[in-house]
Amino acid sequence: MKLIFNDPTFSFETIRTLGYSAYGGSDLGEVVTTANKINDGDFESWYTNWNALAVHVNNQAKSFENSDELLSAGQNYLKASNYFRTAEFFLHGRPDDPRLISTWENSRETFRTGIQLSTQNVEFVEIPYENTTMPGYFYWLDDKPRPTLLVHGGYDSTGEELYFQIVIDALAHGYNILTFEGPGQGEMIRKQKLAFRPDWENVVSPAIDYLKTKPVVDSKRIALMGISFGGLLAPRAAAFDHRIAAVIADDGVFSFDFFDAFAARGHHTHDFGGIEKIIQKLMAESTQVRWVIENGMFTFGAKSVQELFQLTQKYTLKNVAEKIECPVLVCDAANDGFFKGQPELLYSHLKSSKTLMKFDQTDGAQEHCQIGAIKYYNQKVFQWLNKNLK
């Protein structure tokens, strides 16, 4: 799906930002006007223009707040949060760039200000995790014990973005929801410098422990959703923590091994010197490859491309997927530019009750994680959850 840009990565990320307009995360005119100022494929131009929009909308929010128009202020703070997130997206190739932290902090702080000005029941959560805590947001409807959705992102999403992507619809369908960031994500990598870890059950289990302390949570109906790379991490957790009543892989991922992905592109070599030369060439030619590698080194804590490839070898559901006991929803987007073929592979290894749900251009849901058709996607997810969490 093409929108404004010829560069497919810039187009996809613009659709992602615009898609949240259905949930108050953006406005069409602001997105289109800003995107048309950006030089196609230019990371610096991307940051400059999205950040300028975020600052402008943040100033609008402050103006409304100073006039005691708190509803309007909150709405603009929430939009600003999404725009700051978008601005920060391509900065990860330079982890020492001070804009990376400051822009991410702006995204989080505008979100927190905005959500507090809303009427939503929300608690800012610090989940005990080893010698530290993981940040999260717990949203609930009322005092009744309800089924609860536990959600984490993947390779690049933040806890704040998840509000637009899934929280609003979860609440509308009668679910409480806890979103959180684990190692490699959000605050955990940016401030605490904790990179991804393959044994993700040790990340999810503390979040379940937290949920079981909440009287409004029906502890027998806790479902787990993992988005993007989370489509591997969430099934991994469900294989070892059987308190999870259902798991959703959006989209399904069986292997995150970069050597496998490299071979799938037709590069069948085990000489890493040769691989690195090809990667450097591809990074110069493709914003997607450049971003995947730069973001991977950032979130995995790798000091070289070689180390990144070696670290990703640990991320596979081989001999793991078969251990899952709960129902699994594996989602599959027809035009997924990241994980094509992976959902079917995961599905084939599952032994528990399983559903492979395919999305395509018929509903405008063909892009990675159904970006651009989130509302329809969520409707299908909650239809499945309602059936499997009776």
Side-chain angles (χ1 to χ4, degrees):
M1 189 188 304
K2 179 183 174 183
L3 180 66
I4 300 175
F5 297 101
N6 290 317
D7 184 281
T9 306
F10 273 39
S11 177
F12 176 80
E13 292 305 325
T14 302
I15 294 169
R16 179 175 177 174
T17 299
L18 178 58
Y20 297 139
S21 62
Y23 304 99
S26 63
D27 265 338
L28 174 63
E30 292 170 344
V31 171
V32 171
T33 300
T34 299
N36 275 304
K37 297 176 183 176
I38 296 170
N39 299 327
D40 213 347
D42 184 334
F43 285 10
E44 191 64 27
S45 179
W46 178 274
Y47 171 82
T48 299
N49 286 284
W50 285 114
N51 189 67
L53 174 61
V55 169
H56 174 69
V57 175
N58 187 36
N59 287 336
Q60 288 180 327
K62 291 177 181 178
S63 177
F64 279 120
E65 189 172 16
N66 291 336
S67 300
D68 288 327
E69 296 288 343
L70 300 186
L71 173 62
S72 297
Q75 290 171 337
N76 280 279
Y77 280 125
L78 291 174
K79 281 199 303 179
S81 173
N82 188 32
Y83 296 146
F84 278 123
R85 178 200 62 79
T86 304
E88 189 257 9
F89 190 80
F90 290 110
L91 294 180
H92 301 170
R94 293 178 288 174
D96 57 345
D97 186 335
R99 298 177 302 176
L100 191 159
I101 296 297
S102 64
T103 310
W104 165 78
E105 286 180 332
N106 286 338
S107 179
R108 182 167 73 167
E109 292 312 309
T110 49
F111 174 81
R112 291 184 170 187
T113 302
I115 201 68
Q116 286 178 308
L117 291 174
S118 75
T119 58
Q120 176 55 54
N121 294 326
V122 60
E123 178 184 352
F124 299 170
V125 176
E126 296 293 334
I127 301 167
Y129 167 74
E130 297 188 346
N131 297 319
T132 183
T133 59
M134 298 185 293
Y137 300 99
F138 179 63
Y139 308 85
W140 72 97
L141 284 161
D142 49 36
D143 294 333
K144 298 177 183 178
R146 290 181 177 270
T148 299
L149 187 58
L150 175 61
V151 183
H152 59 71
Y155 203 48
D156 59 80
S157 56
T158 65
E160 293 73 39
E161 180 186 11
L162 294 175
Y163 174 74
F164 306 111
Q165 191 164 4
I166 185 63
V167 170
I168 296 172
D169 277 338
L171 295 166
H173 283 85
Y175 287 72
N176 300 321
I177 181 165
L178 171 63
T179 63
F180 78 101
E181 296 168 344
Q185 302 170 330
E187 175 193 308
M188 299 293 281
I189 189 63
R190 289 166 177 81
K191 299 294 286 289
Q192 301 192 45
K193 308 301 182 185
L194 294 176
F196 279 118
R197 58 185 292 178
D199 54 341
W200 200 251
E201 64 276 13
N202 290 315
V203 176
V204 168
S205 291
I208 297 175
D209 293 341
Y210 166 80
L211 283 176
K212 289 176 73 68
T213 69
K214 311 295 284 188
V216 298
V217 171
D218 180 345
S219 62
K220 295 189 181 299
R221 291 193 292 169
I222 297 174
L224 173 65
M225 172 188 278
I227 298 170
S228 191
F229 177 36
L232 179 149
L233 300 174
R236 163 77 198 207
F240 295 97
D241 193 325
H242 297 145
R243 295 176 296 177
I244 297 168
V247 64
I248 300 146
D250 175 29
D251 289 337
V253 183
F254 183 77
S255 170
F256 202 67
D257 186 337
F258 278 21
F259 283 105
D260 288 345
F262 196 68
R265 286 177 171 262
H267 303 292
H268 301 283
T269 176
H270 295 284
D271 170 33
F272 196 82
I275 291 175
E276 190 148 23
K277 288 179 181 177
I278 296 171
I279 289 292
Q280 294 299 331
K281 182 175 184 293
L282 290 173
M283 288 176 68
E285 297 172 347
S286 166
T287 55
Q288 184 189 79
V289 174
R290 177 183 168 188
W291 176 80
V292 165
I293 296 298
E294 290 182 345
N295 189 67
M297 292 179 65
F298 174 59
T299 56
F300 278 78
K303 295 180 175 59
S304 66
V305 175
Q306 180 174 3
E307 183 182 5
L308 173 62
F309 269 60
Q310 291 167 340
L311 287 170
T312 62
Q313 289 184 293
K314 301 175 183 178
Y315 293 81
T316 176
L317 295 178
K318 183 178 181 181
N319 300 322
V320 173
E322 294 83 355
K323 300 179 188 294
I324 300 173
E325 298 179 356
C326 66
V328 183
L329 173 60
V330 180
C331 302
D332 183 4
N335 194 38
D336 194 321
F338 296 96
F339 299 126
K340 199 166 188 65
Q342 290 280 329
E344 292 94 336
L345 190 56
L346 170 58
Y347 181 81
S348 70
H349 281 262
L350 294 168
K351 303 299 183 185
S352 63
S353 172
K354 59 184 180 178
T355 303
L356 180 63
M357 190 176 289
K358 296 192 174 188
F359 296 86
D360 59 28
Q361 60 270 22
T362 304
D363 302 296
Q366 69 268 34
E367 298 299 328
H368 177 60
C369 295
Q370 298 74 46
I371 290 297
I374 293 296
K375 190 170 287 290
Y376 175 70
Y377 170 74
N378 287 342
Q379 290 165 353
K380 297 296 289 183
V381 166
F382 287 106
Q383 181 183 44
W384 182 87
L385 274 175
N386 290 341
K387 177 182 176 182
N388 284 277
L389 290 183
K390 285 183 179 179

